[in-house]
Amino acid sequence: MKLSICTISFRHHLHSIDQLVHFAKTQGFQGIELWGVHAKNLAGDLHYGADWLSTYGLETSMLSDYLPLEAPISEMMAETEQLSSLAKRWGTNKIRTFVGKQGSADTSKKEREELISRLRMLCDYLASKGQYLLVETHPNTLTDNLPSTMQLLEETNHASLRVNFDVLHIWESGINPLVAMKQLRPYISHFHFKNIASRAQLGVFSPNNVYAASGSREGMVPLFEGAIDYDEFLAGVLSIAEVDASLEWFGSNVKSVLAKDVQEVKKALQLVQI
């Protein structure tokens, strides 16, 4: 298993990319998942990129952003071209996005068809660059549950379309993550690991709250202290797949929580391999 930190975890902190990468290296991570905002803000400093990151023995596992699928095509493609160029610079072939701004049940057939058409455009472009588009399993998008996600993959029918499997959000949809993972396995290129104290507190991860500096963090807990059984999930997923994953933490005490979680993950992996 290759583990990354998410630079978005430090979105409200005064840490440089140098400090984040040093932290990732010293804590035993293998890479970083670079937030699109951070990649764009570093674009003017040519010192930073894949070669620089490799001096730490690290790699960029994924570039994570929110491509504007509902925008005019010219705007959508311009944004995609920029992210594709940044992904190349940072040495990753994976670009993550969300699909739509409302849940699958609230999306009309016509709206869905338009989103699928847009996904094909993006996939065609990224395929020409040797890159993949990863759609994240997430509430209030077309991938808010397993059936809609499978349908989206089948409708798009493109080899460059992959899945970023967010364990918590899959669990939130009401299905056992291991059951969903087995069905989605041929399409999964990345995992997000995070946890919650109880199902009643899942609202803490709504974008309006989680991206706000003053938002509530109530219910966010370290990976092995929440409602999702990550010992069970890691044992199950490692038995059938190689895993490239990011520890996604939005709460306080970022460094201490990530440092603890990465060690706990490694301990769990050792038990699986015994």
Side-chain angles (χ1 to χ4, degrees):
M1 176 183 286
K2 292 183 178 180
L3 290 172
S4 296
I5 64 166
C6 294
T7 67
I8 193 176
S9 295
F10 298 86
R11 67 207 176 284
H12 301 309
H13 297 72
L14 287 173
H15 294 312
S16 68
I17 187 67
D18 304 77
Q19 291 171 316
L20 297 188
V21 167
H22 177 75
F23 169 76
K25 175 64 176 178
T26 56
Q27 297 304 321
F29 287 90
Q30 287 76 47
I32 65 169
E33 178 183 324
L34 186 61
W35 195 25
V37 173
H38 291 155
K40 292 169 187 173
N41 286 331
L42 289 167
D45 193 334
L46 300 180
H47 171 69
Y48 296 111
D51 291 341
W52 168 77
L53 193 57
S54 70
T55 64
Y56 289 86
L58 299 174
E59 61 185 33
T60 307
S61 60
M62 186 161 64
L63 186 61
S64 290
D65 208 83
Y66 320 92
L67 290 170
L69 273 71
E70 297 86 355
I73 291 177
S74 59
E75 180 182 331
M76 178 186 77
M77 293 311 301
E79 182 75 9
T80 303
E81 290 169 15
Q82 180 188 23
L83 286 174
S84 173
S85 177
L86 288 169
K88 181 178 180 181
R89 172 173 162 178
W90 283 92
T92 182
N93 63 0
K94 298 188 294 188
I95 295 175
R96 192 279 330 248
T97 194
F98 293 170
V99 183
K101 295 182 178 179
Q102 57 188 4
S104 55
D106 298 317
T107 303
S108 70
K109 182 179 179 181
K110 182 177 180 181
E111 289 169 332
R112 187 181 185 101
E113 289 173 349
E114 179 63 23
L115 286 169
I116 296 300
S117 175
R118 295 298 188 91
L119 282 176
R120 288 198 196 101
M121 290 182 204
L122 300 185
C123 287
D124 283 342
Y125 178 81
L126 293 176
S128 73
K129 304 297 182 180
Q131 297 169 332
Y132 296 92
L133 182 66
L134 276 64
V135 292
E136 181 164 326
T137 54
H138 200 280
N140 299 311
T141 71
L142 281 192
T143 54
D144 58 0
N145 60 60
L146 179 60
S148 184
T149 303
M150 292 298 297
Q151 182 184 342
L152 178 144
L153 292 163
E154 292 164 4
E155 289 170 335
T156 309
N157 190 27
H158 202 295
S160 288
L161 186 65
R162 307 290 295 170
V163 170
N164 179 46
F165 188 103
D166 189 298
V167 177
L168 179 136
H169 291 315
I170 286 287
W171 175 82
E172 179 178 0
S173 75
I175 190 171
N176 185 315
L178 280 174
V179 172
M181 192 276 300
K182 290 174 183 177
Q183 292 190 47
L184 287 169
R185 180 190 174 193
Y187 306 99
I188 298 172
S189 289
H190 204 87
F191 289 84
H192 272 176
F193 294 163
K194 57 179 176 285
N195 216 332
I196 191 76
S198 72
R199 186 172 289 274
Q201 296 169 302
L202 281 167
V204 75
F205 287 116
S206 65
N208 289 340
N209 178 74
V210 83
Y211 294 136
S214 59
S216 171
R217 304 294 180 248
E218 188 73 27
M220 295 181 184
V221 293
L223 204 59
F224 293 88
E225 298 177 19
I228 301 169
D229 186 343
Y230 270 93
D231 285 303
E232 177 186 55
F233 183 79
L234 290 174
V237 73
L238 284 178
S239 68
I240 62 174
E242 293 184 4
V243 178
D244 203 0
S246 300
L247 302 187
E248 193 177 36
W249 175 251
F250 291 108
S252 57
N253 304 316
V254 182
K255 286 186 174 181
S256 61
V257 171
L258 290 177
K260 178 182 177 182
D261 278 352
V262 70
Q263 294 307 316
E264 293 296 323
V265 170
K266 290 180 178 181
K267 288 179 184 177
L269 297 180
Q270 290 174 351
L271 291 175
V272 170
Q273 295 164 357
I274 292 175

